[in-house]
Amino acid sequence: MKVAVSGKGGSGKTTISGTLARLVGRSGMQVLAIDADTNPNLALTLGMGTDAFDHLVPLPHGLMEHRRVDGETRLSLSRPLEEVTAEFASAGPDNVRLMMVGQVRGAGTG
Amino acid sequence: MCSSHATVRGLLHDLPEDEIFVLVDAEASPEHLSRATVEAVDLQLVVAEPYFKSLETARRYSKLGKELGIPNVVIVANKVKNPEDEKAIAEFCETHDMELFAVIPFDESLAQAERAGVAPLDFDPDAQVVRSVKDISQRMKERVARVG
């Protein structure tokens, strides 16, 4: 199952996201949590600590290539998913792996 | 910015349906909907607080999610302090054809967890907010199986 949590800033979506991810993981399922917020705080809510947070690397756009899938052209991973998660997803508590996607790399980089 | 949304969108399409549970913490801006970033999800949880601007935002995000073709778009009321809050949210949802899926009470322990710099689940596994989210985790699979 794929779930998106959305809402106004400050509504508590990151708290709900992080807690939900861990509770599902605790029940035995493998969880991939994706922080797609340009101001990312999911790692801290997952309980990964500031040390882990400083070492998280956003998924590089260069890993995606344009492909024609199901009649539309969209970006798709250019390497196998397992390889990409092994390299870019960080292990957190309760079977949760966290991947940062869509963040900027630094001021003025786009 | 554009490539960020396209990257998340593509990745969500590429990820498998069943073997793993995928959770996306979207950004607060409506772009995750207007740019179709999260179109490949099965369920959109729209978090709303019991005041007008938050509910209005939830209404817009729900509408965009449905337009995007997300099969299940539901509201999660958060920081609900009293029965009046709950009633106001329930009435808003009913008026605007939004499904109120869960109500999470305001939980003072969150501020304490925040001050301590730990995850709410680690601070107090029995906290009200944790119990409410556990209820969501147990009901969402059934909700998605129902579709609509």
Side-chain angles (χ1 to χ4, degrees), chain A residues 1-2 10-11 13 34 77, chain B residues 14-15 17 23 26 42 79:
Chain A
M1 194 190 336
K2 304 176 195 177
S11 62
K13 66 188 172 63
I34 297 173
L77 285 169
Chain B
D14 286 345
L15 287 166
E17 278 303 318
L23 183 133
D42 306 294
K79 306 185 198 177

Side-chain angles (χ1 to χ4, degrees), chain B residues 26-148:
Chain B
E27 65 176 337
S29 143
E31 281 188 278
H32 67 283
L33 297 159
S34 61
R35 292 183 188 270
T37 313
V38 298
E39 71 176 347
V41 300
D42 306 294
L43 172 68
Q44 180 191 3
L45 299 174
V46 183
V47 182
E49 290 179 76
Y51 67 92
F52 190 67
K53 273 187 278 187
S54 187
L55 286 164
E56 265 299 295
T57 303
R59 185 183 65 76
R60 284 197 296 272
Y61 286 14
S62 297
K63 186 166 173 279
L64 288 168
K66 287 174 187 170
E67 281 173 14
L68 210 49
I70 297 174
N72 306 279
V73 179
V74 301
I75 304 298
V76 173
N78 194 26
K79 306 185 198 177
V80 173
K81 284 185 172 156
N82 50 49
E84 288 75 34
D85 276 356
E86 189 170 341
K87 187 162 173 275
I89 291 184
E91 283 177 3
F92 187 93
C93 287
E94 196 172 336
T95 306
H96 297 283
D97 197 25
M98 291 147 66
E99 176 183 338
L100 181 55
F101 182 69
V103 176
I104 304 179
F106 181 81
D107 187 342
E108 183 56 41
S109 78
L110 277 182
Q112 293 166 12
E114 196 71 41
R115 275 195 293 273
V118 298
L121 188 57
D122 296 323
F123 184 78
D124 179 6
D126 199 40
Q128 178 61 57
V129 68
V130 173
R131 281 187 277 139
S132 299
V133 175
K134 186 176 265 177
D135 175 62
I136 293 172
S137 76
Q138 287 164 346
R139 290 194 294 120
M140 65 187 176
K141 202 173 172 186
E142 189 189 322
R143 178 61 190 80
V144 166
R146 186 151 64 82
V147 176

